[in-house]
Amino acid sequence: ESALGSGQKTPAVAERDVARAARKSLVYTQNLPARTVLTENHFTAMRPGDGIPPADIPKLVGRILNRAVRMYTKVKLSDLA
């Protein structure tokens, strides 16, 4: 019976690096000044996926930047007020 495995599907070690590269993270679509109120148009998704995932856009819309950000930099929670 041990040959059947645990029954839990998990990625192999070799697959983890590929999955991180295949996923996407949110970046800013333009240079934005501090105090900008964020909208969906301020975000796009780019690889690699080691940042905030695109599914989190609704959590970011309406938030205010606490510092200026540059186009195509990854969105960080520390950017937000």
Side-chain angles (χ1 to χ4, degrees), residues 19-70:
R20 189 177 320 122
R23 290 190 181 110
K24 295 183 178 183
S25 299
L26 290 176
V27 297
Y28 296 105
T29 58
Q30 56 194 289
N31 294 332
L32 297 168
R35 308 302 303 159
T36 298
V37 178
L38 296 171
T39 68
E40 286 186 32
N41 295 332
H42 291 133
F43 307 108
T44 193
M46 298 180 84
R47 289 182 179 164
D50 56 356
I52 297 174
D56 286 352
I57 287 177
K59 297 176 186 175
L60 303 175
V61 170
R63 301 277 306 262
I64 299 171
L65 287 174
N66 62 17
R67 66 180 190 92
V69 295
R70 296 187 55 87

